Amino acid sequence: MKKYAWLTLPLVLAAVLLGRYLYFMPKYTNGKPAPEFEATLLDGSAFRLSDLKGQYILLDFWGSWCGPCRKQNPAIVDLYRNFHQEAFQDGEGFVVVNVGVETDSTRWQNAIVQDNLHWPYHVMDLSGSLRFFNGAISSLYGVRSVPTSYLINPKGEIIGVNMEPGQMDRLLRQKLSK
């Protein structure tokens, strides 16, 4: 048995890495319909994801406490500014729906202002523990880390998961009406 002991550590490491990969793997992939959810927007109005059908939607899970999320926000602001009033071959407009995975609403609201996130669709997904991402919307979408994003086409289908802003820009430019 001792002559194979050197295999133990690499096998354990491989199992841990595979488990981590599977744990953080997005729940939904390209071509799948985006699950419907209802929530209350920052301004207090009711919101349903399906209300935005017919537009490209960036469903962006983020946190005011998340450094990488805050660093990415200027690129998302640019995407919104560049595409929200554009006509596409298969739809009208582009919207961003921010889902703040949060435990503190004040900090979340301050981050929205500080990062100039001037679109109307901000939802707070109240989480009892940021360690487990157990808010209703995060759980529905299988979010286990932020930033996590889903790009949704006008038919309500996921066409991109965790794309870099530059990739989304290129894809959306290809879809613009000529």
Side-chain angles (χ1 to χ4, degrees), residues 15-174:
V16 168
L17 291 174
L18 177 62
R20 186 180 192 290
Y21 171 77
L22 292 173
Y23 180 78
F24 286 107
M25 191 169 80
K27 185 173 182 179
Y28 298 99
T29 57
N30 292 352
K32 301 290 183 192
E36 172 71 291
F37 66 88
E38 296 180 10
T40 302
L41 295 173
L42 178 61
D43 68 5
S45 60
F47 171 79
R48 290 178 6 175
L49 185 64
S50 60
D51 291 342
L52 301 175
K53 211 167 193 175
Q55 301 180 72
Y56 281 90
I57 304 165
L58 172 58
L59 184 59
D60 181 44
F61 291 85
W62 74 296
S64 63
W65 47 270
C66 168
C69 301
R70 302 291 297 273
K71 187 176 180 180
Q72 183 175 280
N73 277 344
I76 294 173
V77 169
D78 286 344
L79 281 171
Y80 180 74
R81 185 176 49 243
N82 291 337
F83 294 106
H84 82 280
Q85 293 184 340
E86 292 291 335
F88 293 89
Q89 298 164 9
D90 55 351
E92 291 297 322
F94 169 78
V95 295
V96 177
V97 177
N98 275 126
V99 179
V101 180
E102 301 285 344
T103 59
D104 182 339
S105 65
T106 302
R107 187 172 173 178
W108 170 64
Q109 291 173 17
N110 289 339
I112 291 169
V113 172
Q114 289 168 359
D115 292 1
N116 298 309
L117 310 180
H118 296 300
W119 45 83
Y121 304 109
H122 295 279
V123 174
M124 187 170 105
D125 194 26
L126 188 60
S127 184
S129 165
L130 296 178
R131 181 175 174 202
F132 298 110
F133 293 91
N134 59 0
I137 304 168
S138 297
S139 295
L140 176 65
Y141 276 83
V143 174
R144 294 201 172 105
S145 67
V146 289
T148 292
S149 65
Y150 291 92
L151 185 60
I152 303 166
N153 72 13
K155 296 182 214 168
E157 301 164 336
I158 295 168
I159 60 169
V161 180
N162 291 333
M163 296 174 74
E164 295 292 324
Q167 291 174 303
M168 284 186 270
D169 184 273
R170 285 187 294 279
L171 178 74
L172 290 170
R173 285 192 189 285
Q174 292 172 358

